[in-house]
Amino acid sequence: MEARHVPVLVVGGSLVGLSTSVLLADQGVPHLLVESHRGTAIHPRAASFHQRTMEVFRSVGLQAAVEAAADEEFVQNGAIVSVESLAAEKMTYFFRHFNEGVEELSPTSRLFITQIGLEPLLRSHAQERGAEHRYATELVSFEQDGDGVTSVIRTRDGGATETVHSDYLVAADGAHSLAREQCGIGLDGRGSFADCVTIYFRADMRALIGDRNLSVVYVNHPELLGFFRFSITGDSGFLAVFSTTEPDGSRDTHVAEDMDADRCVALVRKALGSPDIAVQVENVQRWTAAAAWAAHFQDRRVFLAGDAAHVMPPTGGFGGNTGVADAHNLAWKLAMVTGGTAGPALLDTYDAERRPVAALTVEQAYTRYVLRVDPSLSREGLAPPMDDPSIELGAVYRSDAVLEPTDDDGAPLDDPRTPTGRPGTRAPHVLVERDGVTVSLLDLFGRDFVVLAGPGGQAWCDAAPAVGADLGIRLDAHRIAADGTLIDREGAVGAALGISGDGAVVVRPDGVIGWKADVLADDPRATVDQAMRRLLFR
Ligand SMILES: Cc1cc2nc3c(=O)[nH]c(=O)nc-3n(C[C@H](O)[C@H](O)[C@H](O)COP(=O)(O)OP(=O)(O)OC[C@H]3O[C@@H](n4cnc5c(N)ncnc54)[C@H](O)[C@@H]3O)c2cc1C
């Protein structure tokens, strides 16, 4: 039987596979997603989602639905603290509230939602836009050549195997990625350093929590290190345990080994600081704390995303967010290449852009693990802690899909509070007026390239549609001026983008600045045409 063909095969239908599917579906890319589980997440797992992730969801119209579902699960905007036990008086604050200091940086907020709450939203959104998801179906093997990837998939429970041919394969198949292994891609970084457990339990903690709004509670108890998250009702939650202390005082970082129900109850009671509280253990998940990233995120037609590409300890809540950022970086490139508007070499920029950022984020998660959880770990080459908003919003991409960042100072991150507007950085959130309606600048981006010009840059805007027509793409353009198509009442955009006069930028579909001209060119049409051809690898 002849193999069925799809442009993209996505392997793994958890957070990152589903995010990839949402973004591909939104851009009209036909694809098949296979997931070996029978449905979406049954355990809460990742819950803290950062503004950049929410901006991605906003770009496909999912922000309100995610916020509403999040409010069902958690009182939002709680503190992140460290205690000896929940009952102890003393609390050390990492954040007084979860959005402390970042409210102005984005049209979105950081929020808490479990994967149980989030994944069905992603699944429905993608499926409503034509995505095909096959659950209880696993990738068995694949081969690739110059023409594409030929994969063997199999339904569970002894079902039939099937051959699928795709132009590209996105491996969002998690930390033990079969795709990564079959490509022979090794891991860089620090490896694993603890075998941990997450204990899902029920207990009436309302009196212990009181009227405190606590999002994440790190527990630094003489007998255990870990962290709590509580449900909105205060009668259930989980305790993730990183390590325990043995009777001889030594630290046991292999807590997953002998974790029976009695021990789970004892640990939860210790961490709560309430020795007699009734605790009912519902589930125990074992996982490994590790800090590593794939040596390559791409092997020809196969791309690694999410935990398949990088693993990090949960300190900082960066893991899932970094995976969504991978999906965001890759999806528009796949859309343009499979749609024929960009050359395949555009896809080679995925590894160049995402791997350094992921490696930095892994190191930052490790630094937080050492400083917040386990100071006994090696501090060799420990990266100094960097500012959270810069990690979340300030990724700097350097690749051939970022043109001429002549003023590049080599900084690994941009500070979103003082954006540089340099090619390779996220175009900032600024409120502007369009057709009498106030929108975020970010709302202009998502599927197409966009030209933004300063007040004196009308010639750029005149040139853009013609360039778009020549290239067969949509290329909208806006002049930011009191009489322009974007009115900048606060005078902030020009400064933030560095185009206050007659300069211009081209912003990529992912909201990253791809090219910039400080002043008007002699021949704006030829200049934009040349920049766009380079950005599209044409
Ligand atoms: C205790 C804890 C708390 C965390 N908290 C946060 C947080 O607050 N914020 C955050 O951003 N991150 C957090 N993380 C990290 C986050 O959970 C992960 O980074 C994220 O879930 C990774 O998603 P993924 O889709 O890449 O991989 P996974 O969730 O591992 O999904 C991979 C999927 O691929 C499927 N699969 C595997 N092989 C195949 C195959 N051959 N064929 C078909 N399907 C296959 C699997 O069944 C699975 O569903 C936390 C992690 C832990 C352990």
Side-chain angles (χ1 to χ4, degrees):
M1 199 169 68
E2 207 170 291
R4 170 186 174 191
H5 181 80
V6 284
V8 181
L9 176 67
V10 179
V11 181
S14 184
L15 175 65
V16 175
L18 285 173
S19 298
T20 307
S21 179
V22 162
L23 291 160
L24 290 177
D26 194 66
Q27 298 183 56
V29 182
H31 62 280
L32 169 67
L33 176 151
V34 292
E35 163 57 52
S36 50
H37 289 139
R38 293 180 197 285
T40 50
I42 55 168
H43 300 297
R45 304 176 63 210
S48 74
F49 289 97
H50 296 153
Q51 284 167 307
R52 190 61 180 151
T53 299
M54 289 304 296
E55 288 174 0
V56 172
F57 295 153
R58 178 182 174 95
S59 74
V60 294
L62 263 170
Q63 181 182 357
V66 173
E67 285 173 353
D71 287 344
E72 297 277 310
E73 293 189 333
F74 293 100
V75 180
Q76 298 297 330
N77 221 8
I80 299 187
V81 301
S82 173
V83 296
E84 185 174 304
S85 75
L86 186 62
E89 298 244 312
K90 186 166 174 259
M91 281 203 300
T92 307
Y93 284 88
F94 297 122
F95 288 97
R96 293 261 161 197
H97 61 88
F98 194 37
N99 282 284
E100 186 174 11
V102 299
E103 296 90 339
E104 305 297 321
L105 302 181
S106 172
T108 68
S109 304
R110 294 168 174 157
L111 58 66
F112 275 86
I113 180 170
T114 68
Q115 289 184 227
I116 295 175
L118 178 61
E119 289 185 11
L121 297 176
L122 301 179
R123 180 180 61 186
S124 312
H125 189 90
Q127 289 179 352
E128 282 159 16
R129 283 153 188 79
E132 182 183 351
H133 295 168
R134 300 242 311 247
Y135 286 91
T137 304
E138 62 182 1
L139 173 76
V140 179
S141 63
F142 64 89
E143 284 175 2
Q144 56 172 324
D145 57 27
D147 288 334
V149 188
T150 305
S151 304
V152 176
I153 61 171
R154 179 175 56 203
T155 49
R156 273 171 65 170
D157 309 324
T161 58
E162 194 184 322
T163 305
V164 177
H165 187 265
S166 59
D167 298 324
Y168 298 101
L169 185 153
V170 179
D173 54 347
H176 306 290
S177 168
L178 173 85
R180 192 184 66 225
E181 193 190 303
Q182 282 204 11
C183 291
I185 300 175
L187 292 172
D188 291 334
R190 296 172 187 269
S192 55
F193 37 86
D195 292 322
C196 311
V197 292
T198 304
I199 304 167
Y200 295 98
F201 66 93
R202 298 197 78 80
D204 185 352
M205 297 166 287
R206 285 170 297 181
L208 285 168
I209 297 169
D211 57 5
R212 297 178 292 180
N213 184 3
L214 304 173
S215 284
V216 181
V217 177
Y218 283 91
V219 180
N220 211 325
H221 186 278
E223 295 180 44
L224 78 104
L225 297 171
F227 71 92
F228 276 121
R229 278 204 313 250
F230 306 116
S231 67
I232 195 167
T233 43
D235 60 357
S236 67
F238 76 61
L239 174 67
V241 184
F242 299 122
S243 67
T244 55
T245 309
E246 295 286 278
D248 66 2
S250 64
R251 191 183 295 272
D252 179 5
T253 53
H254 298 281
V255 288
E257 272 165 19
D258 33 40
M259 191 57 65
D260 58 25
D262 289 346
R263 187 154 158 70
C264 288
V265 170
L267 287 172
V268 171
R269 284 181 172 152
K270 278 202 173 77
L272 289 174
S274 181
D276 302 317
I277 190 167
V279 174
Q280 185 192 339
V281 174
E282 297 197 308
N283 193 284
V284 181
Q285 290 262 296
R286 291 167 167 74
W287 52 278
T288 302
W293 57 91
H296 311 282
F297 282 16
Q298 176 189 7
D299 175 19
R300 292 164 290 159
R301 289 173 175 273
V302 176
F303 300 89
L304 308 181
D307 278 17
H310 39 72
V311 285
M312 59 193 89
T315 31
F318 297 127
N321 288 288
T322 309
V324 175
D326 297 338
H328 191 224
N329 187 284
L330 188 54
W332 71 270
K333 295 176 181 174
L334 283 169
M336 293 210 156
V337 172
T338 58
T341 47
L346 174 61
L347 289 165
D348 298 341
T349 63
Y350 172 67
D351 174 82
E353 295 188 351
R354 287 304 304 158
R355 190 156 49 90
V357 171
L360 178 145
T361 310
V362 169
E363 285 294 326
Q364 286 299 310
Y366 180 76
T367 293
R368 282 159 179 70
Y369 191 87
V370 173
L371 300 181
R372 290 182 192 173
V373 174
D374 189 353
S376 74
L377 279 173
S378 165
R379 292 189 177 223
E380 200 185 320
L382 191 72
M386 290 171 152
D387 164 61
D388 284 80
S390 300
I391 298 170
E392 294 164 26
L393 297 167
V396 180
Y397 291 156
R398 294 182 173 90
S399 79
D400 291 342
V402 173
L403 304 185
E404 287 144 19
T406 44
D407 51 353
D408 187 354
D409 62 3
L413 297 174
D414 210 34
D415 182 342
R417 285 158 292 220
T418 50
T420 57
R422 269 201 288 262
T425 64
R426 161 184 167 273
H429 160 61
V430 186
L431 292 175
V432 290
E433 212 175 285
R434 182 180 55 180
D435 300 330
V437 179
T438 300
V439 297
S440 166
L441 193 64
L442 304 193
D443 295 335
L444 303 179
F445 319 128
R447 292 183 190 185
D448 302 297
F449 285 88
V450 176
V451 173
L452 299 175
Q458 184 59 41
W460 295 115
C461 301
D462 296 340
V467 172
D470 285 349
L471 293 170
I473 60 167
R474 184 171 166 171
L475 188 60
D476 287 345
H478 297 277
R479 189 168 61 90
I480 303 158
D483 60 346
T485 48
L486 288 183
I487 302 173
D488 176 18
R489 299 250 177 248
E490 291 169 17
V493 186
L497 291 172
I499 52 163
S500 309
D502 55 11
V505 293
V506 170
V507 182
R508 311 187 322 185
D510 58 354
V512 169
I513 298 162
W515 170 86
K516 179 171 168 185
D518 292 327
V519 292
L520 193 60
D522 291 339
D523 185 345
R525 179 165 171 176
T527 305
V528 175
D529 183 81
Q530 199 187 29
M532 287 308 304
R533 284 180 193 277
R534 287 179 63 193
L535 288 169
L536 292 169
F537 292 78
R538 301 252 305 253

